[in-house]
Amino acid sequence: MIGFRISEEPYVKCGTWLSARSKLLYQLLGTHILQQTSGSAFSHAEVLGHTATVFGATGFLGRYIVHRLASRGCTVVVPFREEMAKRHLKVTGDLGRVVFMEYDLRNTPSLEESVRHSDIVYNLVGRDYPTKNFDLEDVNVEGAERIAEAVAKYDIDRFVHMSSYNADKTSKSEFFRTKGRAEEVVRSIFPETTIVRPAPVFGFEDKLLNKLAGVSNLLTSNRMQERFWPVHAIDIGSALAVMAEDDTTAAETYELYGPKNYSMAAIAALVDREIIKHRRHVNVPKRFLAPMAQAYNKLIWWSQTCADAIEREFIDQKIDPNAKTFKDLGIEPGEIANFTYHYLQGYRSSSFYDLPPATERERREEKKYMHVIDDQ
């Protein structure tokens, strides 16, 4: 950022002299300019001196932690694969605070180059569906192992590994199995690893609210009876940022989940009420839908569904009683019902776009009626 100072000869820090017209302007503004120069908007880049590497920063959760670290003055190294996938991260911090490095998950030297100057490393890399280039074992286990080995080689102070709720090497779901094995692998290589298990996450770019509000989510297999505690993406970002500053979180396991338990059907009803539309959901037995989803996953090249996603519909979220939570980080998680209006307004038709949130409309409807109690 460029800062200004008011004096006999006002100047810009980079050495460019101000014109007489600019000098008069800044003399008139006076104290306001001085306050802006010394305030956090100009000088926040000197708050922290950490260097952090965030693998998987171009994904859903990555932008939330990169913004928090960069805005607090950390230098953030963002390894990336695709040039266009990282554009939105350039403006998350001051000039030079976000550094981009091309890498490949199978290329160990590129991983080591990304972490060698860092104080803390975040591994947010994960995949919940297989592709022709990477299956779940390649990404969730072997990729995490290579990153942990690079962290251990350069003796990085902190390593935070993003796992998943229900991570268990004995699970029926391949995704949960690989996440469970990855936890054991990274802890065996780097014992001080902080493991984070987020519940299903909601936000602007999520696969929960957007999926339920879209027209393509037609087929289900468990009558949408899967139960979990949805968690806000912003709360996850805040928790990850706290871990960078609190060394007592090292070698701990955190279960990060929302304050209320929902079924998928209950969230679908919440979504329908907010978008003022009714999305149909047709139940298909798992023995038929799983092969269909597997074939569909091989046919298309973007994430839509897979056989393992159908299996996960039959597994409720389980909370590890020994794991720490948001409360241990001093964070109060948000309730999903308080955010659906902001995240789903774009799915409304133009006729209802400007209507207030569903809860506010319901309160207005109640005022139209007088409730009389006959106790005779």
Side-chain angles (χ1 to χ4, degrees):
M1 284 289 184
I2 296 176
F4 302 97
R5 187 177 70 182
I6 307 302
S7 67
E8 292 294 326
E9 298 293 342
Y11 64 90
V12 183
K13 285 185 177 180
C14 63
T16 303
W17 293 91
L18 297 177
S19 65
R21 192 174 186 178
S22 298
K23 179 179 178 180
L24 176 61
L25 173 62
Y26 286 104
Q27 286 175 343
L28 291 174
L29 293 176
T31 306
H32 177 71
I33 296 295
L34 288 172
Q35 291 174 347
Q36 290 294 326
T37 306
S38 59
S40 60
F42 287 85
S43 59
H44 64 73
E46 299 177 2
V47 174
L48 295 177
H50 297 301
T51 300
T53 298
V54 183
F55 288 98
T58 57
F60 172 36
L61 286 175
R63 68 189 66 197
Y64 297 97
I65 180 59
V66 170
H67 168 69
R68 277 163 178 74
L69 293 175
S71 62
R72 296 182 185 187
C74 293
T75 299
V76 184
V77 179
V78 176
F80 70 95
R81 291 196 303 156
E82 299 180 12
E83 182 70 28
M84 301 298 288
K86 65 178 177 64
R87 295 185 304 167
H88 61 282
L89 298 175
K90 292 183 178 181
V91 295
T92 54
D94 285 351
L95 184 63
R97 286 296 172 182
V98 183
V99 181
F100 298 97
M101 298 188 66
E102 191 169 3
Y103 90 112
D104 188 284
L105 198 58
R106 293 191 175 110
N107 189 320
T108 301
S110 69
L111 298 176
E112 294 177 351
E113 187 63 26
S114 298
V115 307
R116 62 194 302 257
H117 299 294
S118 297
D119 306 310
I120 181 171
V121 174
Y122 292 89
N123 176 29
L124 308 185
V125 176
R127 180 64 59 83
D128 60 359
Y129 65 98
T131 65
K132 65 178 182 179
N133 295 322
F134 293 91
D135 59 24
L136 300 185
E137 184 78 16
D138 294 334
V139 178
N140 298 335
V141 181
E142 295 179 6
E145 181 179 10
R146 292 191 186 96
I147 293 174
E149 288 174 345
V151 170
K153 179 178 179 179
Y154 288 97
D155 195 22
I156 308 300
D157 294 337
R158 296 291 309 283
F159 180 43
V160 179
H161 173 70
M162 181 67 71
S163 184
S164 170
Y165 72 101
N166 287 352
D168 183 0
K169 63 180 182 180
T170 63
S171 175
K172 294 181 179 179
S173 165
E174 184 183 2
F175 173 71
F176 293 147
R177 286 199 307 270
T178 55
K179 283 296 186 179
R181 287 201 299 272
E183 291 184 3
E184 292 187 352
V185 168
V186 297
R187 276 272 170 83
S188 65
I189 298 172
F190 195 83
E192 295 81 15
T193 300
T194 302
I195 292 177
V196 180
R197 297 171 181 164
V201 184
F202 66 90
F204 271 118
E205 312 86 5
D206 68 10
K207 296 181 180 179
L208 179 58
L209 296 179
N210 288 300
K211 183 177 180 180
L212 292 173
V215 296
S216 61
N217 186 43
L218 178 64
L219 305 180
T220 64
S221 189
N222 191 27
R223 300 187 184 279
M224 307 184 77
Q225 295 306 303
E226 173 195 0
R227 301 196 68 88
F228 51 87
W229 284 263
V231 63
H232 198 188
I234 293 178
D235 294 331
I236 298 291
S238 299
L240 294 176
V242 170
M243 293 174 187
E245 303 173 15
D246 188 357
D247 290 338
T248 62
T249 60
E252 298 288 352
T253 299
Y254 287 85
E255 290 264 7
L256 302 183
Y257 52 92
K260 187 175 179 180
N261 183 270
Y262 286 88
S263 68
M264 187 67 80
I267 297 180
L270 193 67
V271 170
D272 286 352
R273 189 169 75 250
E274 202 63 76
I275 66 176
I276 318 178
K277 295 177 182 178
H278 176 65
R279 299 301 192 195
R280 293 190 59 192
H281 304 284
V282 180
N283 193 76
V284 178
K286 181 170 67 172
R287 64 179 181 274
F288 299 124
L289 187 56
M292 292 168 54
Q294 186 70 10
Y296 191 59
N297 179 63
K298 293 182 178 180
L299 180 64
I300 62 176
W301 60 88
W302 63 90
S303 171
Q304 189 66 37
T305 187
C306 64
D308 193 66
I310 306 304
E311 184 66 47
R312 292 196 296 273
E313 291 185 17
F314 292 82
I315 304 176
D316 295 339
Q317 181 182 0
K318 297 179 181 179
I319 304 298
D320 183 358
N322 299 320
K324 294 188 175 182
T325 63
F326 278 117
K327 184 177 180 180
D328 298 284
L329 299 171
I331 298 173
E332 185 70 26
E335 161 65 46
I336 187 173
N338 298 329
F339 299 96
T340 52
Y341 172 74
H342 303 285
Y343 294 139
L344 297 174
Q345 188 181 17
Y347 287 95
R348 294 181 173 188
S349 70
S350 58
S351 302
F352 307 108
Y353 187 83
D354 293 326
L355 284 180
T359 53
E360 186 175 338
R361 294 200 311 274
E362 291 167 357
R363 287 196 295 268
R364 290 182 181 180
E365 288 294 325
E366 289 180 359
K367 293 181 180 179
K368 295 180 180 180
Y369 303 95
M370 179 180 297
H371 299 276
V372 179
I373 300 177
D374 186 1
D375 57 355
Q376 297 179 353

